[in-house]
């Protein structure tokens, strides 16, 4: 899932609708002059997961994020029309 998210442009371009709390993202490290992978939280610890997924879904529907990745954990009751 992380590889797909990064290949499609990262969290700025991909709406992730899953049950995951963290993800591995690719960033450029200017000191090492290469891409590295770091773990980041999808959102603050006190934010409910369904709230995060609703926000991601809304950004996809508005065209802010061009791609959406869904897992079975988050797919119940979601319509991306």
């Amino acid at each position: 899932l992380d590889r797909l998210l990064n290949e499609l442009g990262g969290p700025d371009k991909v709406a992730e609708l899953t049950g995951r709390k963290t993800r591995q993202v690719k960033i450029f490290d200017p000191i090492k002059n290469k891409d590295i992978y770091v773990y980041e939280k999808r959102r603050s610890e006190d934010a409910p997961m369904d709230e995060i997924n609703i926000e991601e879904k809304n950004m996809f529907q508005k065209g802010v994020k061009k791609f959406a990745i869904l897992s079975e954990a988050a797919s119940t009751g979601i319509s991306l029309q």
Side-chain angles (χ1 to χ4, degrees), residues 28-56:
F28 181 75
D29 184 337
I31 295 171
K32 295 180 180 178
N33 198 31
K34 66 178 186 174
D35 290 331
I36 62 169
Y37 291 88
V38 297
Y39 283 96
E40 70 175 21
K41 294 178 183 173
R42 288 186 58 207
R43 189 116 173 244
S44 65
E45 300 234 358
D46 54 344
M49 190 56 61
D50 57 339
E51 185 178 300
I52 297 168
N53 288 335
I54 290 169
E55 184 178 311
E56 290 282 305

Side-chain angles (χ1 to χ4, degrees), residues 3 7 9-10 19-20 30 41-42 45 49 57 69 74 81:
R3 183 174 180 187
E7 291 291 325
R20 302 188 321 156
K41 294 178 183 173
R42 288 186 58 207
E45 300 234 358
M49 190 56 61
K57 177 190 72 133
I69 297 175
Q81 299 178 23

Side-chain angles (χ1 to χ4, degrees), residues 1 4-5 8-18 42 53-71 74 78-81:
L1 188 60
L4 180 60
L5 183 126
L8 292 172
D12 293 335
K13 299 200 184 324
V14 180
E16 179 184 336
L17 296 104
T18 66
R42 288 186 58 207
N53 288 335
I54 290 169
E55 184 178 311
E56 290 282 305
K57 177 190 72 133
N58 290 339
M59 286 191 280
F60 174 73
Q61 288 177 324
K62 291 177 183 175
V64 175
K65 296 193 177 192
K66 302 297 180 192
F67 305 99
I69 297 175
L70 286 85
S71 73
I78 289 180
S79 172
L80 295 178
Q81 299 178 23

